[in-house]
Amino acid sequence: QVQLVESGGGLVQAGGSLRLSCAASGRIFSINGVVWYRQAPGKQRELVAAITSGGSTVYADSVKGRFTVSRDNTKNTLYLQMNGLKPEDTAVYYCNADIRPSTSPATFNSWGQGTQVTVSS
């Protein structure tokens, strides 16, 4: 069974940095597109950043120039480097990926469990 396990969240002061990790476990053949989302209390989940299997990226306007999405295919791990954090970045962050297990020709969409990021002013 393939799982995405997130880590790296926490409490940080405004202007600080955090790096979120999203590790895929299980017997994996490939990880295709990856998207990082976030959801703040009382708000809808929103796309933060995305990266394709080829490394192309896209960012929400609110995080451009501050966040960087990357991937290490050798470790089956995805990253979200967050610099210049602002209180409005406070949310639960989720990774989402299309994963092909080594045991199946099909691709499955998987979610991480979420990790809390809190930015104090």
Side-chain angles (χ1 to χ4, degrees):
Q1 182 178 356
V2 174
Q3 293 186 46
L4 293 176
V5 179
E6 298 182 45
S7 61
L11 173 64
V12 64
Q13 288 187 333
S17 298
L18 286 173
R19 187 176 81 157
L20 305 184
S21 298
C22 176
S25 63
R27 300 175 66 183
I28 297 168
F29 180 79
S30 64
I31 301 175
N32 300 331
V34 178
V35 184
W36 286 92
Y37 293 90
R38 67 186 180 187
Q39 187 165 20
K43 295 188 177 180
Q44 290 188 333
R45 189 170 295 185
E46 63 175 351
L47 185 149
V48 176
I51 184 168
T52 68
S53 57
S56 297
T57 58
V58 64
Y59 297 93
D61 288 342
S62 59
V63 306
K64 279 181 183 177
R66 299 188 297 122
F67 289 14
T68 302
V69 59
S70 62
R71 58 194 296 158
D72 185 338
N73 292 330
T74 65
K75 297 180 179 179
N76 289 328
T77 302
L78 309 313
Y79 302 99
L80 184 68
Q81 177 67 43
M82 306 185 294
N83 299 328
L85 283 161
K86 303 176 181 180
E88 52 263 44
D89 294 318
T90 295
V92 178
Y93 285 70
Y94 300 89
C95 59
N96 175 268
D98 292 324
I99 301 174
R100 180 184 167 187
S102 60
T103 56
S104 170
T107 299
F108 299 91
N109 186 260
S110 299
W111 286 88
Q113 82 280 10
T115 187
Q116 177 70 47
V117 171
T118 303
V119 185
S120 63
S121 57

